Amino acid sequence: MENEPIRNDLLHRQAQEAFHREQIQQQLQQQEAEQINRQAQEAQEAHQLQQQEAQEINRQAQVAHQLQQQEAQRIQDRNQQVIRQQEHDRDHQLDQQERCQQDEAEDDQDIDEAPAMNAPIPDGAQPYAEPIARHTLGPLNVECPNCHAMHFLCEKRTDSPQRNPRFGMCCLQGQISLPPFPAWPPELRQAYTDRTFISKIRQYNSALAFTSVGVNIEDRTLQGSGPNAFRIHGSLHHLMGSLIPPEGQQPSYAQLYVYDPEEATNIRATRPGNEGLDRRILRELHDMLYRCHPYAPLYKQAYQIMQEKPQEQHTGCSCTHSLPAGHRRSKI
């Protein structure tokens, strides 16, 4: 009987420990169940995110495919438009060429068939008639503030005032700057004081020219009175021969610049049409060109080079002259 309380107490403690162990086990099972549920939710959320990412990637791919199709369609439309425009331009150019050829053929036929005196007189060759009311531009006394070119006041820009006018047709308001004109050679300045020289200035120019001009001249503009007109039908050509004239022919144009100045002047003065020219002025202008013109000494040098070569090497001899920047290169 004495051990009964002890046994009961031991049983009670054992029962408490068993109950405590059962509670701990239940808590562990509950925690495991919660963790499993949490992992399942996370897996479900991850699956949903993957689905959303896949849907977004699919949507982006569809958008990119649509953009590619639209860009391809635009490129195709643009290429077709360019092809159509090129075909249209080519057809238009061919039509223009055909019309131009037809017009030139008709003009040539009209010029060849119609008598010159019966051809209609252009407006530029009509007799001059004094106008009823005169129009004046005013004095030519307004100076450009940038290049100092002289203008009429009515030539100013519309956005500039009359007290401070600005002009765009001369230097684009200072955007273009050209060096000043060099001073006239004294021989040319002195020749311009002679009224006879001025009246025959075209003959002097032709006598001292380096090349001749080949054109088909329209005679219809030369009929009647009115100002002088020089109308060209077709293309304009500048004819330049060799440095040495053919055997039996007098030298002319650039060929004269390889001769002695006095001999060249005599040849020029005796050519048909130059009988009335002053030999002194011809000689002075010849010397002036040798001193001031970049091509005149070049012909002399080329002639000296050719004279030093054997006769069989004269064909195909060329000389190149390089001018400063902004000028053309010329071959002789």
Side-chain angles (χ1 to χ4, degrees):
M1 297 294 291
E2 293 179 356
N3 294 328
E4 186 68 22
I6 296 171
R7 190 175 63 80
N8 291 335
D9 185 49
L10 180 60
L11 292 173
H12 181 70
R13 283 199 302 271
Q14 290 177 350
Q16 287 181 346
E17 290 177 359
F19 179 75
H20 183 66
R21 283 196 299 273
E22 186 178 356
Q23 284 184 340
I24 292 174
Q25 187 175 3
Q26 289 179 356
Q27 290 178 357
L28 291 174
Q29 291 176 354
Q30 185 177 1
Q31 290 177 358
E32 289 178 358
E34 291 177 354
Q35 185 176 2
I36 292 172
N37 291 333
R38 188 166 54 251
Q39 290 177 353
Q41 291 179 356
E42 290 178 353
Q44 186 177 4
E45 292 177 355
H47 181 67
Q48 291 178 353
L49 290 175
Q50 290 177 355
Q51 286 182 342
Q52 292 176 358
E53 290 178 356
Q55 292 176 355
E56 181 67 20
I57 292 172
N58 188 21
R59 188 183 64 82
Q60 292 178 357
Q62 291 178 353
V63 172
H65 181 66
Q66 292 177 356
L67 292 176
Q68 289 178 355
Q69 287 183 338
Q70 293 175 358
E71 182 66 21
Q73 185 65 33
R74 282 198 297 269
I75 293 174
Q76 184 178 1
D77 295 342
R78 187 166 59 249
N79 292 337
Q80 292 179 354
Q81 184 178 3
V82 170
I83 293 173
R84 288 194 298 269
Q85 184 65 33
Q86 289 177 350
E87 292 177 352
H88 178 269
D89 294 342
R90 184 170 61 253
D91 294 340
H92 181 66
Q93 185 177 4
L94 291 175
D95 292 341
Q96 284 187 337
Q97 290 179 355
E98 291 178 358
R99 285 197 296 269
C100 290
Q101 291 175 358
Q102 292 177 358
D103 293 341
E104 290 181 358
E106 291 176 358
D107 292 342
D108 293 338
Q109 184 177 2
D110 293 340
I111 293 173
D112 294 338
E113 294 180 356
M117 297 303 296
N118 296 330
I121 301 176
D123 293 338
Q126 295 286 346
Y128 174 75
E130 193 71 22
I132 299 175
R134 291 193 176 186
H135 174 74
T136 177
L137 297 175
L140 185 68
N141 59 355
V142 185
E143 184 176 334
C144 174
N146 298 302
C147 67
H148 309 291
M150 302 305 294
H151 292 272
F152 296 104
L153 183 60
C154 60
E155 293 176 326
K156 73 178 185 66
R157 292 176 57 91
T158 56
D159 57 353
S160 63
Q162 291 192 359
R163 293 186 177 181
N164 186 22
R166 298 191 304 273
F167 302 92
M169 65 177 63
C170 51
C171 63
L172 294 179
Q173 300 188 75
Q175 298 183 33
I176 298 176
S177 179
L178 298 177
F181 287 110
W184 284 26
E187 297 90 344
L188 191 59
R189 189 185 304 111
Q190 179 63 30
Y192 262 87
T193 61
D194 187 352
R195 297 181 62 87
T196 306
F197 169 78
I198 296 176
S199 64
K200 299 181 179 181
I201 191 168
R202 290 185 61 182
Q203 291 177 260
Y204 281 103
N205 182 73
S206 299
L208 295 164
F210 288 86
T211 61
S212 61
V213 179
V215 295
N216 294 325
I217 301 177
E218 281 269 15
D219 294 329
R220 291 181 295 179
T221 58
L222 304 179
Q223 301 179 27
S225 58
N228 292 331
F230 182 74
R231 182 177 176 182
I232 297 173
H233 177 72
S235 58
L236 174 67
H237 302 277
H238 289 275
L239 308 177
M240 177 183 292
S242 62
L243 288 177
I244 302 175
E247 186 176 356
Q249 293 185 12
Q250 284 279 8
S252 60
Y253 298 106
Q255 297 168 351
L256 291 171
Y257 286 93
V258 303
Y259 282 75
D260 178 77
E262 189 64 30
E263 185 178 358
T265 301
N266 292 332
I267 296 174
R268 288 192 181 99
T270 55
R271 288 184 62 85
N274 295 343
E275 295 84 357
L277 301 184
D278 191 332
R279 290 173 177 264
R280 178 185 59 83
I281 296 178
L282 283 173
R283 173 60 188 274
E284 290 177 354
L285 295 178
H286 180 95
D287 296 340
M288 177 199 70
L289 289 174
Y290 258 114
R291 189 179 67 254
C292 303
H293 200 283
Y295 294 125
L298 179 64
Y299 281 96
K300 187 69 174 180
Q301 297 171 9
Y303 180 74
Q304 292 174 351
I305 293 174
M306 291 189 66
Q307 290 297 104
E308 294 173 359
K309 289 181 175 292
Q311 183 67 28
E312 60 272 10
Q313 297 183 9
H314 285 187
T315 303
C317 179
S318 65
C319 178
T320 303
H321 177 54
S322 299
L323 293 176
H327 294 74
R328 295 180 178 176
R329 294 171 59 89
S330 301
K331 286 189 176 181
I332 301 173

